[in-house]
Amino acid sequence: MHTHTSEESSTADKDIDASQPQPVALTADDGYRLGGFVWRHREPLAHGAPRPVVIINAATSVRCRYYFRFAAWLHRHGWDAIVYDYRGIGESRPANLAALEASWLDWGERDFEAVLRYAHRAFSGQPIDVVGHSIGGFVIGLAPSNTLIRRVFTMGAQYAHWRDYARRSRPAMLWKWHVVMPALTRLYGYFPAGRLGWMEDTPRGVALAWSRSRARFEDTYRHSPIARGQAQRQALASRFAALRAPILATSVTDDAFGTVAAVERLLGYFTRSDTIHLRITPAAVGVESIGHFAFFHSRFEADLWPIALGWLRTGQLAPATPGAIVSSHGALD
């Protein structure tokens, strides 16, 4: 992990190529060290408006490096950009993962929160946008400083409640994520997903919460080693309502996680945000499949990435945007 503090990002060096990501290290409020990367322009925007900065929140146990091409593309289109790894993953993995107590709550309340505060401090006066992939859309609601966000774009964002899995895939997914994952997690002290080629090794708190997810996410933490009392659980849920940024939630029809039910379940928490749920078929962009991950592949630079770019730039959908609107809600609808 890079050793600069959040105030010592190497992006401050004048000799650095701004088109290349620079490592940055941040510290969460509990002292945990997080690693990430920053793309930062040296010059202000030509028209004098403040340059926006975008934070990319990864899917569960996906390294931040997976989003490098997308972040670099947004950088070329005018944004400063930040990617980072949640505790336990990639640049933020400790020497002994089995000793790490971490859950999705930590990823939102502490890790994303630390990145939000860093962006607010290091990119002072710049609008902050967020791109959230899968659980990366969920953790937005957990951060106490989510009121700082200007706009949100999500892809397949949900919190993996098993009843929302695509029906055709549900039996295999139940076996994989609700039988194999918790069993191996209890055996190893963390989920050794890397050995199976499924994703990055995962902290046990994340794996076990996923395996017992409830229809209301806060109820997942009613009985567990990281249990929260009723008032604490209600406070977690109400924090989502602090977000006022408009959300474009995208999903694709061949994503077994990002079903209509799953995406709508999460959007229901963001009661003070204007939300649009856009659903895209692979055929709409001339391909056979997209799935849960491929949106961020560079082969979709011309077809899908402009959807995110346009939303972050204007807060509106372009007339020729592929897909169909599933739902559109004003704040407190």
Side-chain angles (χ1 to χ4, degrees):
M1 187 189 301
H2 201 67
T3 56
H4 286 304
T5 69
S6 59
E7 301 295 345
E8 299 172 327
S9 169
S10 55
T11 55
D13 298 337
K14 294 183 179 180
D15 295 333
I16 284 173
D17 181 355
S19 68
Q20 297 300 312
Q22 302 304 317
V24 63
L26 312 174
T27 304
D29 63 4
D30 63 343
Y32 196 93
R33 300 280 282 176
L34 304 166
F37 298 87
V38 174
W39 289 255
R40 187 167 194 166
H41 293 268
R42 295 202 193 106
E43 304 297 330
L45 289 173
H47 50 70
R51 182 185 300 281
V53 56
V54 60
I55 301 168
I56 299 176
N57 285 349
T60 296
S61 302
V62 175
R63 283 179 178 246
C64 69
R65 292 175 180 269
Y66 182 76
Y67 304 92
F68 266 26
R69 290 186 179 88
F70 183 68
W73 185 81
L74 289 177
H75 178 259
R76 290 196 299 273
H77 284 81
W79 272 256
D80 292 328
I82 305 169
V83 301
Y84 69 101
D85 282 311
Y86 309 120
R87 63 187 65 200
I89 309 299
E91 309 295 317
S92 305
R93 177 170 176 153
N96 183 4
L97 186 56
L100 178 65
E101 295 290 345
S103 71
W104 278 330
L105 302 186
D106 294 305
W107 287 1
E109 289 183 303
R110 291 173 168 168
D111 300 350
F112 176 54
E113 172 70 7
V115 179
L116 261 180
R117 290 180 180 175
Y118 164 71
H120 183 59
R121 184 172 60 247
F123 298 83
S124 180
Q126 297 180 224
I128 300 172
D129 298 327
V130 179
V131 171
H133 181 204
S134 192
I135 205 69
F138 168 71
V139 301
I140 292 170
L142 294 170
S145 296
N146 63 25
T147 53
L148 297 172
I149 300 170
R150 179 182 69 163
R151 295 190 186 108
V152 172
F153 173 87
T154 66
M155 182 65 212
Q158 34 65 49
Y159 55 87
H161 176 52
W162 67 271
R163 290 185 183 276
D164 295 335
Y165 297 159
R167 187 176 298 276
R168 66 186 181 281
S169 305
R170 192 178 300 163
M173 294 173 74
L174 287 172
W175 171 255
K176 186 174 182 177
W177 305 118
H178 301 267
V179 178
V180 175
M181 181 169 65
L184 290 180
T185 298
R186 292 186 176 94
L187 179 63
Y188 286 91
Y190 65 94
F191 180 42
R195 302 186 189 190
L196 303 174
W198 291 2
M199 54 186 185
E200 294 296 309
D201 294 343
T202 305
R204 68 174 168 271
V206 171
L208 295 179
W210 179 351
S211 69
R212 57 172 173 261
S213 63
R214 300 291 188 266
R216 295 285 301 180
F217 88 85
E218 61 272 27
D219 290 339
T220 304
Y221 301 94
R222 186 185 302 238
H223 304 292
S224 73
I226 52 172
R228 303 287 181 100
Q230 181 177 356
Q232 291 175 309
R233 295 196 307 274
Q234 290 175 341
L236 283 175
S238 65
R239 195 175 292 160
F240 285 68
L243 183 76
R244 300 297 182 97
I247 302 170
L248 175 59
T250 55
S251 64
V252 294
T253 56
D254 64 331
D255 178 0
F257 284 108
T259 61
V260 169
V263 173
E264 291 291 320
R265 187 182 300 276
L266 175 57
L267 286 179
Y269 282 91
F270 293 107
T271 56
R272 292 186 180 273
S273 293
D274 293 337
T275 65
I276 298 175
H277 179 184
L278 177 70
R279 191 146 177 90
I280 303 169
T281 64
V285 291
V287 299
E288 293 185 359
S289 65
I290 300 172
H292 192 55
F293 293 99
F295 178 94
F296 297 96
H297 290 183
S298 56
R299 69 176 180 271
F300 290 118
E301 176 179 331
D303 299 314
L304 294 178
W305 291 6
I307 300 173
L309 180 69
W311 177 259
L312 297 181
R313 182 173 282 160
T314 69
Q316 297 180 340
L317 282 176
T321 299
I325 294 176
V326 173
S327 66
S328 179
H329 298 294
L332 299 178
D333 271 5

